[in-house]
Amino acid sequence: MHRPKMGAAVLILIILLFSAGMQAQARIMVVPSADVLPDGNVELRLYNHLGRTYLGGAVGMFGAMQAEVTGIISTTTQLRTAIQLALVKEQQAVPGVALGMEIQASHVGFYGVLSKQLGLAGLRGHVAWGSGRFSNGMVGVSYVLNPVQVNNNTPVVTLGVEYDGQGLIGGLIAQFAQNVSAHVYLSDFQRLGAGLRYRLAF
C-alpha cells in the first residue's frame, strides 16, 4: 500500500477543508463521486491519462443508476465496463453514498464512494475504497474558481486535487456550456493529460 502518497492526499484534503474561499464541484479525473447521471442523460468522454487514450460513455438510468463503457487504448486495447448505484442522495448533514462494480480484462472490482459538501459553499470532497484499482483508496477535492460567470463567453473553471490510488493529480476543468467541458491536469505534477466531455439528454 502506498502509505506516504495516501498520507499526502489526506493532508491536502485537510488543508483544503480549512482554506478560505474555496468552492468545489465534481471530480477532476479518476476518483468517482457518489453522483450518477440523471435518467436519460449520456456523457461522452475522450481523454489521455499516463500515455493511454480513454474513449468511453456513460448513461443514467432509473434516476439512481449509471452504466459506463470505456475503451482503453495503448499498445493494446482493453474494455472496461462499470455500473454504479446511488444508495443515498447527498443532503446537508448526510453524504451521498454509492456502490459500484467494474469489469476489466475478466477482473471484477467493487467499491464504495462517499461524496459531501464540506462546509464552505461549493467545497466538495470524494472518498472511494474497494477492490481492484480501488484497493489503495482514492480521495479527491475540488473548488470553483469563478462560480459567477462574467459573461457567456467565460467558462466556469474548477480546480481539483486527487489521489487515485497510485499518485497525485492536480488540474483544471473548464465548463464552456452546460453540456461541454474540457480538462487539463498533471499526474504526480510531471505528466500532462487532457480531455473532453460532452453531455446530451434523450
Side-chain angles (χ1 to χ4, degrees):
M1 189 176 293
H2 304 275
R3 292 181 187 273
K5 291 181 179 179
M6 186 64 177
V10 172
L11 180 60
I12 290 170
L13 177 61
I14 292 170
I15 292 170
L16 287 173
L17 287 176
F18 292 97
S19 297
M22 292 188 174
Q23 300 174 347
Q25 217 170 15
R27 61 181 175 172
I28 280 285
M29 191 53 161
V30 178
V31 178
S33 75
D35 307 320
V36 295
L37 290 170
D39 190 17
N41 277 231
V42 174
E43 186 174 270
L44 305 176
R45 305 164 182 163
L46 172 65
Y47 60 96
N48 182 273
H49 179 58
L50 297 177
R52 295 180 176 180
T53 299
Y54 292 74
L55 177 61
V59 59
M61 301 178 293
F62 313 117
M65 185 179 292
Q66 179 174 301
E68 301 182 27
V69 177
T70 304
I72 306 169
I73 305 163
S74 55
T75 54
T76 60
T77 300
Q78 293 185 352
L79 190 67
R80 176 193 292 164
T81 58
I83 191 161
Q84 180 170 303
L85 178 64
L87 298 179
V88 178
K89 186 174 181 179
E90 182 178 344
Q91 301 175 34
Q92 185 173 359
V94 179
V97 180
L99 294 178
M101 178 182 71
E102 285 190 347
I103 303 173
Q104 182 178 337
S106 73
H107 297 292
V108 180
F110 298 91
Y111 65 91
V113 58
L114 302 175
S115 294
K116 183 73 175 68
Q117 201 80 16
L118 298 172
L120 299 175
L123 179 62
R124 200 155 184 240
H126 314 281
V127 177
W129 207 283
S131 60
R133 69 188 183 102
F134 300 95
S135 60
N136 291 329
M138 297 183 181
V139 60
V141 291
S142 58
Y143 67 92
V144 179
L145 295 175
N146 57 336
V148 179
Q149 288 181 283
V150 177
N151 56 57
N152 292 334
N153 297 322
T154 305
V156 175
V157 178
T158 301
L159 173 65
V161 177
E162 64 181 27
Y163 170 75
D164 68 352
Q166 297 181 341
L168 293 174
I169 300 172
L172 296 170
I173 296 175
Q175 189 83 32
F176 294 99
Q178 188 174 2
N179 60 338
V180 179
S181 65
H183 54 269
V184 62
Y185 65 95
L186 287 173
S187 297
D188 283 329
F189 304 100
Q190 294 179 349
R191 299 190 65 176
L192 186 65
L196 293 169
R197 294 174 183 155
Y198 180 77
R199 186 177 294 188
L200 61 155
F202 293 101

